[in-house]
Amino acid sequence: MSQDSTENASAMRSYPRFAAMYERMSRGSGEQRFMEPLRQKILARAHGLVLEVGAGNGLNFPLYDPARVERVEAIEPDPAMLLYARERVKAARVPIMLTQASVEALPFDDATFDCAVVTLVFCSVPNPLQGLQEIRRVLKPGGSLLMVEHVRSRTAFLRGVQSVLVPLTTRMCGNCHWNRDTLSTVRSAGFQVSYKQDYGGFLMPYILLEATNSPST
């Protein structure tokens, strides 16, 4: 098996226990009080033809504004998550096409999308830089990357704690890495960050950002 095939197989792994746990958590007050407002804030910037990466169980689907969004092409590698996402497509106010695919190998042509939406995804992507480069490939010049992610702590001691916990979180939480410096990876992929806001803290700080696929980079 080639290296590319091995990486793609890894990206398409299924985590049914984590998917079931995440679905239960999604129905709780923590999602409603903290995450849903962040989703609403970033999705208010979505426009045109949208790529949603790592759709998970479809929590973003009902939040797209039909006055701004033409259509959403949503990808999700995990078949266990797709079962929940397919149900939530029914609650969407815009057309959504849901496809099983990994972000490292997007099944779309170059310069297809006006923007890409990513919420709580790049903590678990096997190859984050490759995934972001793929997103940039399928975005139109000047297209937007809209992202909400939990990221590496800004405090050295807490970064160390996050790293110690990673072997546990990757096993129990669908390959989730608590210590990823996703902002740096976004920049390394060639995006120009135009907006960033920090939320939360301690072991689970979050960032909300918008970045541009600049044709000059």
Side-chain angles (χ1 to χ4, degrees), residues 123 159-173 175-180:
C123 59
R159 287 198 297 271
V161 175
Q162 287 175 319
S163 295
V164 168
L165 291 173
V166 161
L168 180 64
T169 61
T170 51
R171 280 197 210 92
M172 296 185 63
C173 302
N175 200 43
C176 180
H177 295 71
W178 282 16
N179 62 346
R180 283 193 171 166

Short mmCIF file of all heavy atoms in Angstrom, two decimals, residues 123 159-173 175-180:
data_model
loop_
_atom_site.label_atom_id
_atom_site.label_comp_id
_atom_site.label_asym_id
_atom_site.label_seq_id
_atom_site.Cartn_x
_atom_site.Cartn_y
_atom_site.Cartn_z
N CYS A 123 -8.20 19.35 15.34
CA CYS A 123 -7.59 18.64 16.48
C CYS A 123 -7.41 17.16 16.16
O CYS A 123 -6.55 16.50 16.73
CB CYS A 123 -8.46 18.80 17.73
SG CYS A 123 -10.14 18.19 17.51
N ARG A 159 0.47 23.85 28.33
CA ARG A 159 0.83 23.14 27.10
C ARG A 159 1.43 21.78 27.44
O ARG A 159 1.18 20.78 26.76
CB ARG A 159 1.82 23.95 26.27
CG ARG A 159 1.21 25.15 25.58
CD ARG A 159 2.10 25.64 24.46
NE ARG A 159 3.39 26.12 24.90
CZ ARG A 159 3.65 27.37 25.26
NH1 ARG A 159 2.68 28.28 25.25
NH2 ARG A 159 4.86 27.73 25.64
N GLY A 160 2.25 21.75 28.49
CA GLY A 160 2.84 20.48 28.92
C GLY A 160 1.78 19.50 29.39
O GLY A 160 1.84 18.30 29.08
N VAL A 161 0.79 19.99 30.15
CA VAL A 161 -0.29 19.13 30.61
C VAL A 161 -1.09 18.59 29.42
O VAL A 161 -1.43 17.40 29.37
CB VAL A 161 -1.22 19.89 31.58
CG1 VAL A 161 -2.41 19.02 31.97
CG2 VAL A 161 -0.45 20.33 32.83
N GLN A 162 -1.38 19.48 28.45
CA GLN A 162 -2.09 19.03 27.26
C GLN A 162 -1.34 17.90 26.55
O GLN A 162 -1.93 16.90 26.13
CB GLN A 162 -2.28 20.20 26.30
CG GLN A 162 -3.32 21.22 26.73
CD GLN A 162 -3.36 22.41 25.78
OE1 GLN A 162 -2.33 22.90 25.32
NE2 GLN A 162 -4.57 22.86 25.46
N SER A 163 -0.04 18.06 26.42
CA SER A 163 0.77 17.05 25.72
C SER A 163 0.77 15.72 26.47
O SER A 163 0.74 14.64 25.85
CB SER A 163 2.20 17.56 25.53
OG SER A 163 2.21 18.68 24.66
N VAL A 164 0.81 15.78 27.80
CA VAL A 164 0.75 14.56 28.60
C VAL A 164 -0.57 13.83 28.39
O VAL A 164 -0.63 12.59 28.36
CB VAL A 164 0.95 14.90 30.09
CG1 VAL A 164 0.60 13.70 30.98
CG2 VAL A 164 2.39 15.32 30.35
N LEU A 165 -1.65 14.60 28.18
CA LEU A 165 -2.98 14.00 28.03
C LEU A 165 -3.26 13.48 26.63
O LEU A 165 -4.20 12.70 26.43
CB LEU A 165 -4.05 15.03 28.40
CG LEU A 165 -4.14 15.41 29.88
CD1 LEU A 165 -5.12 16.56 30.07
CD2 LEU A 165 -4.57 14.21 30.72
N VAL A 166 -2.45 13.89 25.64
CA VAL A 166 -2.74 13.54 24.25
C VAL A 166 -2.86 12.03 24.01
O VAL A 166 -3.78 11.59 23.29
CB VAL A 166 -1.71 14.18 23.30
CG1 VAL A 166 -1.69 13.48 21.94
CG2 VAL A 166 -2.04 15.65 23.10
N PRO A 167 -1.99 11.18 24.57
CA PRO A 167 -2.18 9.74 24.34
C PRO A 167 -3.55 9.23 24.79
O PRO A 167 -4.10 8.30 24.20
CB PRO A 167 -1.05 9.10 25.16
CG PRO A 167 0.00 10.15 25.23
CD PRO A 167 -0.75 11.45 25.34
N LEU A 168 -4.11 9.86 25.82
CA LEU A 168 -5.44 9.49 26.30
C LEU A 168 -6.54 10.05 25.41
O LEU A 168 -7.47 9.33 25.01
CB LEU A 168 -5.63 9.98 27.74
CG LEU A 168 -6.97 9.65 28.41
CD1 LEU A 168 -7.14 8.15 28.57
CD2 LEU A 168 -7.05 10.35 29.77
N THR A 169 -6.42 11.33 25.05
CA THR A 169 -7.48 11.97 24.26
C THR A 169 -7.55 11.40 22.84
O THR A 169 -8.63 11.31 22.26
CB THR A 169 -7.30 13.49 24.20
OG1 THR A 169 -6.04 13.81 23.59
CG2 THR A 169 -7.34 14.10 25.60
N THR A 170 -6.41 11.03 22.29
CA THR A 170 -6.45 10.46 20.94
C THR A 170 -7.15 9.10 20.93
O THR A 170 -7.83 8.75 19.97
CB THR A 170 -5.03 10.32 20.36
OG1 THR A 170 -4.19 9.64 21.29
CG2 THR A 170 -4.45 11.68 20.03
N ARG A 171 -7.00 8.34 22.02
CA ARG A 171 -7.65 7.03 22.09
C ARG A 171 -9.15 7.15 22.38
O ARG A 171 -9.96 6.42 21.81
CB ARG A 171 -7.02 6.18 23.21
CG ARG A 171 -5.72 5.50 22.83
CD ARG A 171 -5.38 4.38 23.81
NE ARG A 171 -3.96 4.22 23.92
CZ ARG A 171 -3.18 4.83 24.82
NH1 ARG A 171 -3.72 5.65 25.69
NH2 ARG A 171 -1.89 4.62 24.85
N MET A 172 -9.50 8.06 23.26
CA MET A 172 -10.88 8.11 23.76
C MET A 172 -11.76 9.08 22.98
O MET A 172 -13.00 8.97 23.04
CB MET A 172 -10.88 8.50 25.24
CG MET A 172 -10.21 7.49 26.14
SD MET A 172 -10.37 7.91 27.88
CE MET A 172 -12.14 7.85 28.12
N CYS A 173 -11.16 10.04 22.29
CA CYS A 173 -11.94 11.13 21.69
C CYS A 173 -11.71 11.26 20.19
O CYS A 173 -11.53 12.37 19.66
CB CYS A 173 -11.63 12.45 22.39
SG CYS A 173 -11.94 12.43 24.15
N ASN A 175 -9.18 10.54 18.03
CA ASN A 175 -7.89 11.09 17.57
C ASN A 175 -7.72 12.56 17.91
O ASN A 175 -6.94 13.28 17.26
CB ASN A 175 -7.69 10.87 16.07
CG ASN A 175 -6.24 10.96 15.66
OD1 ASN A 175 -5.35 10.44 16.32
ND2 ASN A 175 -5.96 11.65 14.56
N CYS A 176 -8.39 13.05 18.93
CA CYS A 176 -8.33 14.47 19.31
C CYS A 176 -7.00 14.79 20.01
O CYS A 176 -6.64 14.17 21.00
CB CYS A 176 -9.49 14.80 20.24
SG CYS A 176 -9.52 16.51 20.76
N HIS A 177 -6.27 15.78 19.45
CA HIS A 177 -5.02 16.27 20.03
C HIS A 177 -5.28 17.63 20.70
O HIS A 177 -5.64 18.60 20.02
CB HIS A 177 -3.97 16.46 18.93
CG HIS A 177 -3.54 15.19 18.27
ND1 HIS A 177 -4.37 14.48 17.40
CD2 HIS A 177 -2.37 14.51 18.33
CE1 HIS A 177 -3.72 13.42 16.96
NE2 HIS A 177 -2.52 13.40 17.50
N TRP A 178 -5.08 17.70 21.99
CA TRP A 178 -5.35 18.94 22.72
C TRP A 178 -4.23 19.97 22.57
O TRP A 178 -4.38 21.11 22.99
CB TRP A 178 -5.55 18.63 24.20
CG TRP A 178 -6.90 18.08 24.52
CD1 TRP A 178 -7.81 17.56 23.65
CD2 TRP A 178 -7.49 17.99 25.82
NE1 TRP A 178 -8.94 17.15 24.31
CE2 TRP A 178 -8.77 17.39 25.64
CE3 TRP A 178 -7.06 18.33 27.11
CZ2 TRP A 178 -9.63 17.16 26.72
CZ3 TRP A 178 -7.92 18.09 28.17
CH2 TRP A 178 -9.19 17.51 27.98
N ASN A 179 -3.11 19.58 22.00
CA ASN A 179 -1.93 20.46 22.01
C ASN A 179 -1.56 21.01 20.63
O ASN A 179 -0.43 21.43 20.42
CB ASN A 179 -0.74 19.72 22.61
CG ASN A 179 -0.34 18.49 21.79
OD1 ASN A 179 -1.10 18.03 20.93
ND2 ASN A 179 0.84 17.96 22.06
N ARG A 180 -2.48 21.03 19.69
CA ARG A 180 -2.13 21.47 18.34
C ARG A 180 -2.16 23.00 18.21
O ARG A 180 -3.11 23.66 18.64
CB ARG A 180 -3.09 20.84 17.32
CG ARG A 180 -2.73 19.38 17.07
CD ARG A 180 -3.44 18.84 15.85
NE ARG A 180 -2.91 17.52 15.52
CZ ARG A 180 -3.49 16.68 14.70
NH1 ARG A 180 -4.64 17.01 14.11
NH2 ARG A 180 -2.94 15.50 14.44
#
